[in-house]
Amino acid sequence: MADPTQQPFGSVFGDWITTAVYAGDAFTYSGSAEPIRDFSLHPATHVLHYGSACFEGLKGHRQPDGGVAIFRLDDHVRRLRQSAERLMLPVPEFDMVRQMIIDAVAANADAAPDPPGSLYIRPTLIGTERNIGAAARPTNEALLYILTSPVGDYFAGGVRPLTIVVETKVPRTTPQFGMVKSGANYAMALIPTVQARRSLGADQVLFAPNGDVTETGAANFFVVDAERIITRALDESFLHGVTRASLITIAADLGYEVEERELYVDELIEWSGKGEMCLTGTAAIIAPVGTLVVEGQPHRVGDGQPGPNTLRLREALVKAQTGGPDAHGWRTPV
Ligand code: PLP
């Protein structure tokens, strides 16, 4: 097989999946991994009409002893359950989801690339009731499956300074779905993201409705300098990234001050002259921002190159994922 880390992120898949079916008020896990296969869905399936779908994204990392360890497994299981709850999908039991992820990673462990590659894990929950009349009520049948994908870099070109366009008019999603990891949120971010890519060569859009900085289409956002890191305080309007939480812990361990508060675009413009900025996410890890485009005007961030503090924090996070001391108990060996 061609080296999956050289293929576009998410386009190569592990040979095994795990599945659980919800019917009659309970999930039933088949109990072991199955060969990956196409699903057959009736044209009336709930998810195809009413958006009853949510997912997670986490990673398994190859360790120095040759095994694979899943990073912050329990946090991702919790967030999947939270997404399900907010979409009124059946909420799968914590221990079952956890075991299904472990079993899927174990079955695909041979496909996990060495660092800097990893095994991306995509738990997905969809509403499968056949009923086009069920627009105003939850699905009563569902399918949960754990898909894996050996991956390299999310942003083509590796660690490089990203160009981020700041969008001040359109929010990424609606306030009640900010904390939900569902496809509809990504669909809503698509037009501004594609426009920014086409017209300005941007890598991502930072959504800051009325100047109030939230997050990008697929990552959280930080301002960094030698003393501190700053990010938006948690509220219901955006996805509470597990990488965001990890960076906050790691930065505090390294002696940085952590400011979780409101952050406005005007302040970002001031910061661009003197500080660093980065995106955080399971896929993006910690990705440096080189240019911020506001109202069509490019602002170079620092000297336009990945900043030393961003790189230092990134290295510390990668160590915590790939075999350094597990000071916070974040790794689950498989
Ligand atoms: N925000 C959005 C919209 C995302 O899609 C992601 C990626 O999952 C994140 C933030 C970062 O979350 P995490 O660090 O848990 O991957």
Side-chain angles (χ1 to χ4, degrees):
M1 184 169 72
D3 179 358
T5 65
Q6 299 306 311
Q7 306 300 313
F9 187 101
S11 63
V12 179
F13 304 103
D15 289 338
W16 300 89
I17 58 170
T18 49
T19 65
V21 171
Y22 178 87
D25 284 345
F27 276 94
T28 307
Y29 170 32
S30 70
S32 58
E34 308 151 45
I36 193 169
R37 62 182 187 280
D38 290 351
F39 294 139
S40 156
L41 295 177
H42 188 277
T45 300
H46 199 274
V47 63
L48 302 178
H49 301 268
Y50 303 124
S52 48
C54 60
F55 62 92
E56 260 309 312
L58 65 165
K59 278 178 175 170
H61 299 272
R62 175 84 58 205
Q63 303 296 302
D65 67 2
V68 176
I70 304 170
F71 193 65
R72 303 202 68 166
L73 170 60
D74 292 1
D75 299 282
H76 287 279
V77 173
R78 269 192 283 276
R79 196 171 62 185
L80 179 72
R81 297 179 82 245
Q82 176 183 283
S83 293
E85 202 171 298
R86 287 183 176 230
L87 289 167
M88 297 196 78
L89 272 155
V91 181
E93 295 80 6
F94 185 93
D95 290 342
M96 182 193 74
V97 183
R98 198 175 183 281
Q99 194 58 50
M100 285 174 69
I101 295 173
I102 291 172
D103 292 350
V105 171
N108 292 288
D110 288 351
D114 289 332
S118 60
L119 189 67
Y120 184 79
I121 308 160
R122 173 55 66 87
T124 308
L125 176 62
I126 58 172
T128 51
E129 181 182 347
R130 300 173 179 195
N131 187 342
I132 52 171
R137 65 161 180 78
T139 180
N140 60 22
E141 292 173 22
L143 172 68
L144 170 66
Y145 60 91
I146 316 294
L147 174 68
T148 63
S149 174
V151 295
D153 288 313
Y154 181 64
F155 292 110
V159 184
R160 61 175 172 83
L162 303 176
T163 297
I164 302 296
V165 169
V166 180
E167 166 61 58
T168 54
K169 294 183 185 70
V170 181
R172 173 180 173 258
T173 177
T174 57
Q176 72 268 34
F177 274 4
M179 290 168 65
V180 177
K181 202 160 165 63
S182 86
N185 285 344
Y186 298 84
M188 276 189 267
L190 213 46
I191 287 181
T193 305
V194 170
Q195 275 172 352
R197 190 179 307 135
R198 283 194 188 140
S199 59
L200 297 156
D203 296 289
Q204 270 287 342
V205 171
L206 176 62
F207 291 91
N210 302 315
D212 185 8
V213 172
T214 60
E215 64 180 333
T216 70
N220 295 119
F221 178 83
F222 280 82
V223 172
V224 176
D225 72 5
E227 273 104 51
R228 68 186 70 78
I229 65 168
I230 311 171
T231 195
R232 184 190 178 85
L234 293 179
D235 61 28
E236 300 218 340
S237 72
F238 71 103
L239 195 74
H240 298 183
V242 175
T243 319
R244 174 190 179 281
S246 305
L247 174 54
I248 286 173
T249 302
I250 283 172
D253 288 350
L254 291 172
Y256 290 83
E257 268 171 46
V258 177
E259 293 180 26
E260 291 182 81
R261 59 171 172 83
E262 287 181 337
L263 197 54
Y264 288 93
V265 174
D266 291 346
E267 192 181 349
L268 293 191
I269 295 172
E270 273 171 43
W271 268 98
S272 62
K274 53 184 183 184
E276 304 171 25
M277 295 176 198
C278 63
L279 309 186
T280 64
T282 296
I285 315 178
I286 295 178
V289 177
T291 306
L292 203 64
V293 183
V294 183
E295 310 280 354
Q297 286 297 314
H299 299 266
R300 203 169 66 173
V301 179
D303 63 2
Q305 293 305 310
N309 296 288
T310 302
L311 292 178
R312 179 179 178 214
L313 291 161
R314 180 187 160 101
E315 199 182 305
L317 173 61
V318 168
K319 270 203 188 120
Q321 295 170 331
T322 58
D326 189 13
H328 301 285
W330 285 340
R331 296 197 300 260
T332 302
V334 168

PDB file of all heavy atoms in Angstrom, residues 1 7 47 51 78 82 103 130-131 145 148 155 162 182 229 248 276 278 291 320 323 328-329:
ATOM      1  N   MET A   1       0.854  -1.201   0.000  1.00  0.00           N
ATOM      2  CA  MET A   1       0.000   0.000   0.000  1.00  0.00           C
ATOM      3  C   MET A   1       0.888   1.249   0.000  1.00  0.00           C
ATOM      4  O   MET A   1       1.906   1.287   0.673  1.00  0.00           O
ATOM      5  CB  MET A   1      -0.905  -0.028   1.243  1.00  0.00           C
ATOM      6  CG  MET A   1      -1.875   1.111   1.294  1.00  0.00           C
ATOM      7  SD  MET A   1      -3.163   0.959   2.560  1.00  0.00           S
ATOM      8  CE  MET A   1      -2.284   1.228   4.071  1.00  0.00           C
ATOM      9  N   GLN A   7      -0.710  10.628   1.513  1.00  0.00           N
ATOM     10  CA  GLN A   7      -2.012  10.816   0.851  1.00  0.00           C
ATOM     11  C   GLN A   7      -2.768  11.952   1.554  1.00  0.00           C
ATOM     12  O   GLN A   7      -2.471  12.274   2.709  1.00  0.00           O
ATOM     13  CB  GLN A   7      -2.844   9.531   0.941  1.00  0.00           C
ATOM     14  CG  GLN A   7      -2.152   8.290   0.415  1.00  0.00           C
ATOM     15  CD  GLN A   7      -1.785   8.422  -1.050  1.00  0.00           C
ATOM     16  OE1 GLN A   7      -2.607   8.843  -1.860  1.00  0.00           O
ATOM     17  NE2 GLN A   7      -0.543   8.098  -1.388  1.00  0.00           N
ATOM     18  N   VAL A  47     -31.143  10.103   8.917  1.00  0.00           N
ATOM     19  CA  VAL A  47     -29.967  10.974   8.804  1.00  0.00           C
ATOM     20  C   VAL A  47     -29.891  11.660   7.439  1.00  0.00           C
ATOM     21  O   VAL A  47     -29.382  12.781   7.333  1.00  0.00           O
ATOM     22  CB  VAL A  47     -28.662  10.184   9.087  1.00  0.00           C
ATOM     23  CG1 VAL A  47     -28.433   9.074   8.059  1.00  0.00           C
ATOM     24  CG2 VAL A  47     -27.472  11.111   9.127  1.00  0.00           C
ATOM     25  N   GLY A  51     -30.612  15.340   9.334  1.00  0.00           N
ATOM     26  CA  GLY A  51     -29.336  15.725   9.950  1.00  0.00           C
ATOM     27  C   GLY A  51     -29.045  15.052  11.283  1.00  0.00           C
ATOM     28  O   GLY A  51     -28.295  15.603  12.090  1.00  0.00           O
ATOM     29  N   ARG A  78     -16.858  11.401  26.113  1.00  0.00           N
ATOM     30  CA  ARG A  78     -17.796  12.323  26.767  1.00  0.00           C
ATOM     31  C   ARG A  78     -18.383  13.322  25.767  1.00  0.00           C
ATOM     32  O   ARG A  78     -19.570  13.602  25.779  1.00  0.00           O
ATOM     33  CB  ARG A  78     -17.073  13.110  27.880  1.00  0.00           C
ATOM     34  CG  ARG A  78     -17.152  12.434  29.232  1.00  0.00           C
ATOM     35  CD  ARG A  78     -16.693  13.375  30.335  1.00  0.00           C
ATOM     36  NE  ARG A  78     -15.246  13.501  30.370  1.00  0.00           N
ATOM     37  CZ  ARG A  78     -14.433  12.658  30.991  1.00  0.00           C
ATOM     38  NH1 ARG A  78     -14.919  11.629  31.641  1.00  0.00           N
ATOM     39  NH2 ARG A  78     -13.132  12.828  30.971  1.00  0.00           N
ATOM     40  N   GLN A  82     -22.225  14.020  24.548  1.00  0.00           N
ATOM     41  CA  GLN A  82     -22.827  15.353  24.651  1.00  0.00           C
ATOM     42  C   GLN A  82     -23.437  15.788  23.309  1.00  0.00           C
ATOM     43  O   GLN A  82     -24.538  16.339  23.264  1.00  0.00           O
ATOM     44  CB  GLN A  82     -21.748  16.338  25.080  1.00  0.00           C
ATOM     45  CG  GLN A  82     -22.187  17.778  25.137  1.00  0.00           C
ATOM     46  CD  GLN A  82     -21.019  18.672  25.497  1.00  0.00           C
ATOM     47  OE1 GLN A  82     -20.607  18.747  26.649  1.00  0.00           O
ATOM     48  NE2 GLN A  82     -20.454  19.332  24.503  1.00  0.00           N
ATOM     49  N   ASP A 103     -11.253  -1.438  20.628  1.00  0.00           N
ATOM     50  CA  ASP A 103     -11.249  -2.623  19.753  1.00  0.00           C
ATOM     51  C   ASP A 103     -10.935  -2.237  18.304  1.00  0.00           C
ATOM     52  O   ASP A 103     -10.231  -2.970  17.599  1.00  0.00           O
ATOM     53  CB  ASP A 103     -12.607  -3.336  19.820  1.00  0.00           C
ATOM     54  CG  ASP A 103     -12.852  -3.985  21.183  1.00  0.00           C
ATOM     55  OD1 ASP A 103     -11.908  -4.039  22.000  1.00  0.00           O
ATOM     56  OD2 ASP A 103     -13.997  -4.420  21.433  1.00  0.00           O
ATOM     57  N   ARG A 130     -36.273   4.484   9.225  1.00  0.00           N
ATOM     58  CA  ARG A 130     -36.800   4.750   7.874  1.00  0.00           C
ATOM     59  C   ARG A 130     -38.113   5.485   8.045  1.00  0.00           C
ATOM     60  O   ARG A 130     -39.142   4.865   8.307  1.00  0.00           O
ATOM     61  CB  ARG A 130     -37.059   3.438   7.145  1.00  0.00           C
ATOM     62  CG  ARG A 130     -35.839   2.586   6.963  1.00  0.00           C
ATOM     63  CD  ARG A 130     -36.264   1.257   6.378  1.00  0.00           C
ATOM     64  NE  ARG A 130     -35.099   0.406   6.174  1.00  0.00           N
ATOM     65  CZ  ARG A 130     -35.123  -0.680   5.435  1.00  0.00           C
ATOM     66  NH1 ARG A 130     -36.221  -1.055   4.827  1.00  0.00           N
ATOM     67  NH2 ARG A 130     -34.027  -1.408   5.288  1.00  0.00           N
ATOM     68  N   ASN A 131     -38.085   6.782   7.921  1.00  0.00           N
ATOM     69  CA  ASN A 131     -39.321   7.525   8.144  1.00  0.00           C
ATOM     70  C   ASN A 131     -39.114   8.980   7.745  1.00  0.00           C
ATOM     71  O   ASN A 131     -38.459   9.741   8.455  1.00  0.00           O
ATOM     72  CB  ASN A 131     -39.701   7.431   9.629  1.00  0.00           C
ATOM     73  CG  ASN A 131     -41.065   8.028   9.902  1.00  0.00           C
ATOM     74  OD1 ASN A 131     -41.588   8.794   9.091  1.00  0.00           O
ATOM     75  ND2 ASN A 131     -41.633   7.686  11.044  1.00  0.00           N
ATOM     76  N   TYR A 145     -20.635   3.698  14.609  1.00  0.00           N
ATOM     77  CA  TYR A 145     -19.493   2.943  14.078  1.00  0.00           C
ATOM     78  C   TYR A 145     -18.204   3.703  14.311  1.00  0.00           C
ATOM     79  O   TYR A 145     -18.200   4.929  14.444  1.00  0.00           O
ATOM     80  CB  TYR A 145     -19.675   2.587  12.600  1.00  0.00           C
ATOM     81  CG  TYR A 145     -19.840   3.749  11.652  1.00  0.00           C
ATOM     82  CD1 TYR A 145     -18.734   4.331  11.022  1.00  0.00           C
ATOM     83  CD2 TYR A 145     -21.097   4.263  11.367  1.00  0.00           C
ATOM     84  CE1 TYR A 145     -18.888   5.382  10.136  1.00  0.00           C
ATOM     85  CE2 TYR A 145     -21.256   5.318  10.485  1.00  0.00           C
ATOM     86  CZ  TYR A 145     -20.152   5.869   9.869  1.00  0.00           C
ATOM     87  OH  TYR A 145     -20.312   6.915   8.995  1.00  0.00           O
ATOM     88  N   THR A 148     -11.408   4.194  11.166  1.00  0.00           N
ATOM     89  CA  THR A 148     -10.048   4.708  11.400  1.00  0.00           C
ATOM     90  C   THR A 148      -9.404   5.098  10.076  1.00  0.00           C
ATOM     91  O   THR A 148      -9.800   4.620   9.011  1.00  0.00           O
ATOM     92  CB  THR A 148      -9.147   3.656  12.088  1.00  0.00           C
ATOM     93  OG1 THR A 148      -9.023   2.535  11.210  1.00  0.00           O
ATOM     94  CG2 THR A 148      -9.707   3.223  13.430  1.00  0.00           C
ATOM     95  N   PHE A 155      -2.689  19.914   7.428  1.00  0.00           N
ATOM     96  CA  PHE A 155      -2.441  20.983   6.463  1.00  0.00           C
ATOM     97  C   PHE A 155      -1.297  20.545   5.552  1.00  0.00           C
ATOM     98  O   PHE A 155      -0.188  20.285   6.041  1.00  0.00           O
ATOM     99  CB  PHE A 155      -2.077  22.296   7.171  1.00  0.00           C
ATOM    100  CG  PHE A 155      -3.222  22.889   7.943  1.00  0.00           C
ATOM    101  CD1 PHE A 155      -3.217  22.910   9.327  1.00  0.00           C
ATOM    102  CD2 PHE A 155      -4.313  23.427   7.271  1.00  0.00           C
ATOM    103  CE1 PHE A 155      -4.283  23.459  10.032  1.00  0.00           C
ATOM    104  CE2 PHE A 155      -5.388  23.974   7.969  1.00  0.00           C
ATOM    105  CZ  PHE A 155      -5.371  23.986   9.349  1.00  0.00           C
ATOM    106  N   LEU A 162       0.287  29.461   8.625  1.00  0.00           N
ATOM    107  CA  LEU A 162      -1.003  29.446   7.930  1.00  0.00           C
ATOM    108  C   LEU A 162      -1.505  30.862   7.693  1.00  0.00           C
ATOM    109  O   LEU A 162      -1.179  31.788   8.439  1.00  0.00           O
ATOM    110  CB  LEU A 162      -2.046  28.697   8.764  1.00  0.00           C
ATOM    111  CG  LEU A 162      -1.716  27.254   9.149  1.00  0.00           C
ATOM    112  CD1 LEU A 162      -2.807  26.694  10.057  1.00  0.00           C
ATOM    113  CD2 LEU A 162      -1.551  26.376   7.908  1.00  0.00           C
ATOM    114  N   SER A 182     -21.227  18.121  14.702  1.00  0.00           N
ATOM    115  CA  SER A 182     -22.124  17.518  13.718  1.00  0.00           C
ATOM    116  C   SER A 182     -21.854  18.122  12.348  1.00  0.00           C
ATOM    117  O   SER A 182     -21.393  19.258  12.224  1.00  0.00           O
ATOM    118  CB  SER A 182     -23.584  17.764  14.102  1.00  0.00           C
ATOM    119  OG  SER A 182     -24.011  19.010  13.618  1.00  0.00           O
ATOM    120  N   ILE A 229      -0.573  32.554  27.243  1.00  0.00           N
ATOM    121  CA  ILE A 229      -1.434  32.138  26.131  1.00  0.00           C
ATOM    122  C   ILE A 229      -2.833  32.682  26.425  1.00  0.00           C
ATOM    123  O   ILE A 229      -3.251  32.753  27.583  1.00  0.00           O
ATOM    124  CB  ILE A 229      -1.470  30.605  25.946  1.00  0.00           C
ATOM    125  CG1 ILE A 229      -2.100  29.901  27.152  1.00  0.00           C
ATOM    126  CG2 ILE A 229      -0.068  30.050  25.685  1.00  0.00           C
ATOM    127  CD1 ILE A 229      -2.417  28.434  26.898  1.00  0.00           C
ATOM    128  N   ILE A 248      -3.761  24.253  27.263  1.00  0.00           N
ATOM    129  CA  ILE A 248      -3.871  25.058  28.489  1.00  0.00           C
ATOM    130  C   ILE A 248      -3.095  24.384  29.629  1.00  0.00           C
ATOM    131  O   ILE A 248      -2.327  25.032  30.355  1.00  0.00           O
ATOM    132  CB  ILE A 248      -5.363  25.270  28.842  1.00  0.00           C
ATOM    133  CG1 ILE A 248      -5.965  26.298  27.873  1.00  0.00           C
ATOM    134  CG2 ILE A 248      -5.536  25.702  30.290  1.00  0.00           C
ATOM    135  CD1 ILE A 248      -7.457  26.491  27.980  1.00  0.00           C
ATOM    136  N   GLU A 276       2.421  35.768  18.827  1.00  0.00           N
ATOM    137  CA  GLU A 276       2.243  34.615  17.952  1.00  0.00           C
ATOM    138  C   GLU A 276       0.771  34.207  18.016  1.00  0.00           C
ATOM    139  O   GLU A 276       0.084  34.550  18.974  1.00  0.00           O
ATOM    140  CB  GLU A 276       3.112  33.444  18.431  1.00  0.00           C
ATOM    141  CG  GLU A 276       4.587  33.800  18.541  1.00  0.00           C
ATOM    142  CD  GLU A 276       5.396  32.691  19.241  1.00  0.00           C
ATOM    143  OE1 GLU A 276       4.989  31.517  19.215  1.00  0.00           O
ATOM    144  OE2 GLU A 276       6.431  33.034  19.835  1.00  0.00           O
ATOM    145  N   CYS A 278      -1.913  30.683  17.036  1.00  0.00           N
ATOM    146  CA  CYS A 278      -1.942  29.298  16.552  1.00  0.00           C
ATOM    147  C   CYS A 278      -3.345  28.730  16.621  1.00  0.00           C
ATOM    148  O   CYS A 278      -4.217  29.260  17.314  1.00  0.00           O
ATOM    149  CB  CYS A 278      -0.970  28.429  17.348  1.00  0.00           C
ATOM    150  SG  CYS A 278      -1.351  28.286  19.101  1.00  0.00           S
ATOM    151  N   THR A 291      -0.176  34.724   8.884  1.00  0.00           N
ATOM    152  CA  THR A 291      -0.841  35.933   8.378  1.00  0.00           C
ATOM    153  C   THR A 291      -2.302  35.907   8.775  1.00  0.00           C
ATOM    154  O   THR A 291      -2.959  34.871   8.652  1.00  0.00           O
ATOM    155  CB  THR A 291      -0.755  35.999   6.831  1.00  0.00           C
ATOM    156  OG1 THR A 291       0.620  35.882   6.440  1.00  0.00           O
ATOM    157  CG2 THR A 291      -1.324  37.303   6.286  1.00  0.00           C
ATOM    158  N   ALA A 320       3.751  14.463  24.759  1.00  0.00           N
ATOM    159  CA  ALA A 320       2.727  13.873  25.632  1.00  0.00           C
ATOM    160  C   ALA A 320       1.908  12.819  24.885  1.00  0.00           C
ATOM    161  O   ALA A 320       1.363  11.898  25.482  1.00  0.00           O
ATOM    162  CB  ALA A 320       1.808  14.965  26.170  1.00  0.00           C
ATOM    163  N   GLY A 323       4.883   9.245  23.674  1.00  0.00           N
ATOM    164  CA  GLY A 323       5.837   8.442  24.451  1.00  0.00           C
ATOM    165  C   GLY A 323       6.631   9.184  25.496  1.00  0.00           C
ATOM    166  O   GLY A 323       7.391   8.570  26.241  1.00  0.00           O
ATOM    167  N   HIS A 328      -0.312  13.480  32.941  1.00  0.00           N
ATOM    168  CA  HIS A 328      -1.723  13.711  33.257  1.00  0.00           C
ATOM    169  C   HIS A 328      -2.608  12.495  32.973  1.00  0.00           C
ATOM    170  O   HIS A 328      -3.838  12.612  32.981  1.00  0.00           O
ATOM    171  CB  HIS A 328      -2.220  14.930  32.488  1.00  0.00           C
ATOM    172  CG  HIS A 328      -1.436  16.176  32.824  1.00  0.00           C
ATOM    173  ND1 HIS A 328      -1.607  16.857  34.006  1.00  0.00           N
ATOM    174  CD2 HIS A 328      -0.426  16.808  32.160  1.00  0.00           C
ATOM    175  CE1 HIS A 328      -0.767  17.885  34.044  1.00  0.00           C
ATOM    176  NE2 HIS A 328      -0.039  17.867  32.941  1.00  0.00           N
ATOM    177  N   GLY A 329      -1.980  11.363  32.676  1.00  0.00           N
ATOM    178  CA  GLY A 329      -2.776  10.149  32.413  1.00  0.00           C
ATOM    179  C   GLY A 329      -3.640  10.282  31.169  1.00  0.00           C
ATOM    180  O   GLY A 329      -4.792   9.866  31.154  1.00  0.00           O
TER     181      GLY A 329
END
